[in-house]
Amino acid sequence: MNKEQDFTSSIASEFPWMCINLLVGASLVSPFVRNLLGANRTIGSKFNKLDEEDQRDVVSFVITGIFTSLALIAQVYGGYDVLVNNSDDMTQDQMDAVYVFLQLTVIFLWEVFFRIHTDPFRRAHHLCCMLLLQFATTTIYDTKNVLYVRVALLLGFQVTTSQLSLFASFAERLDLFPKSKFFLSYVAASATFIIKTAAMVASCYFFQAEFIVKGGDSNPWGEFW
C-alpha cells in the first residue's frame, strides 16, 4: 500500500474546466499559428501552396509539439522523485505539476478533431491514451494514493514523447530537408519506437510488480486497474 496524500488543490478541483479551456484555447490559437506559418520568410511560400488538409496537419504538428513538450517538462518535474527515486512523498508543487501534465495531454484529443483526416490507428491510439489518463486522474483524486500517480506518469510517456515524429511529419509536409527526408523519417520512427516501447515495458513491469505480485490496492479502483 502506497502512502496516501492530500492531492486536492485549486488545479485538481478545476481540472475538467481547465481541460475544456485548453481545447478551446488550442482552437483559438490555431488561426494565429496558421498566419505565422504563412507569413514566415523561409517556409511561408511552401505552406501557402498546401491544400486545407495539409495546412491543418502542419498547424496541428506545431501546436501539439509545443503542448506535449510543456507536458513533458511538467511530467518530469512532478514525477522525478516518484518514478526515479521511488518516493512516496510529493510536495504540493510536484502534485500540481502532475495535474498540469495531465491537462496538457488533452491536446491529443484536440488533434484528432482538428485534422481533417487521421489514420484510424493514430485515432485509436490517441483516444485510448486519453481515456486511460483520464481514468488515472480520477483515480488519483479519488484514492489519494501515490501508486496511481506512477500509473499516470508511465502511461503519459505514450503522449509526451512524440516530438521527433511530429517534427519529421512537419518537415515532410513542407518538403524541408529533401535530401535528408528518408534519414529524418527513419530516425524519428526509430526513436519513437524505442521510447514508446521502453515506456510500455516499464509500465508492464510496474503493473506486474504492483498489481499482481503485491496485490495492488484494496479498493474498486485497484480492481479496475
Side-chain angles (χ1 to χ4, degrees):
M1 175 72 72
N2 291 64
K3 181 180 179 180
E4 291 188 356
Q5 296 192 57
D6 184 10
F7 290 154
T8 57
S9 68
S10 59
I11 293 180
S13 60
E14 297 174 4
F15 185 86
W17 290 110
M18 293 183 74
C19 289
I20 294 172
N21 289 337
L22 186 145
L23 293 173
V24 174
S27 299
L28 295 176
V29 167
S30 59
F32 176 70
V33 173
R34 181 188 293 231
N35 290 335
L36 282 180
L37 291 170
N40 187 275
R41 294 182 179 180
T42 304
I43 62 175
S45 59
K46 294 182 179 180
F47 178 79
N48 292 326
K49 292 178 181 177
L50 299 176
D51 58 24
E52 176 67 16
E53 180 179 347
D54 285 340
Q55 285 192 0
R56 278 184 172 241
D57 287 349
V58 171
V59 171
S60 74
F61 297 150
V62 173
I63 294 177
T64 304
I66 292 172
F67 275 82
T68 53
S69 297
L70 293 174
L72 181 61
I73 293 171
Q75 181 184 16
V76 171
Y77 172 76
Y80 184 84
D81 287 339
V82 172
L83 286 181
V84 178
N85 297 328
N86 200 33
S87 173
D88 288 341
D89 295 311
M90 297 183 71
T91 66
Q92 190 61 57
D93 287 343
Q94 289 175 322
M95 196 61 239
D96 286 343
V98 170
Y99 278 121
V100 169
F101 137 70
L102 290 167
Q103 290 158 7
L104 289 171
T105 57
V106 179
I107 197 65
F108 258 26
L109 185 62
W110 170 84
E111 182 190 358
V112 169
F113 290 100
F114 180 76
R115 297 175 64 180
I116 295 176
H117 293 106
T118 310
D119 181 85
F121 293 104
R122 186 182 187 90
R123 190 182 303 119
H125 171 265
H126 285 14
L127 293 177
C128 287
C129 285
M130 289 301 96
L131 283 174
L132 288 172
L133 286 172
Q134 294 308 307
F135 280 131
T137 305
T138 305
T139 311
I140 292 170
Y141 193 78
D142 195 29
T143 65
K144 301 177 176 60
N145 194 329
V146 181
L147 168 67
Y148 301 107
V149 177
R150 293 191 178 94
V151 170
L153 290 167
L154 289 170
L155 292 173
F157 283 115
Q158 296 293 330
V159 178
T160 59
T161 55
S162 302
Q163 290 80 7
L164 277 175
S165 61
L166 289 169
F167 177 74
S169 299
F170 175 86
E172 181 184 3
R173 290 291 194 284
L174 293 173
D175 196 26
L176 303 177
F177 319 113
K179 295 182 179 180
S180 306
K181 183 182 298 185
F182 175 79
F183 176 75
L184 182 61
S185 298
Y186 176 79
V187 170
S190 300
T192 300
F193 175 79
I194 292 171
I195 293 171
K196 292 187 183 298
T197 300
M200 182 185 69
V201 171
S203 300
C204 291
Y205 175 80
F206 168 78
F207 272 83
Q208 186 269 342
E210 292 290 341
F211 289 92
I212 297 178
V213 176
K214 297 181 181 179
D217 193 15
S218 57
N219 63 57
W221 279 116
E223 296 177 3
F224 169 81
W225 288 103

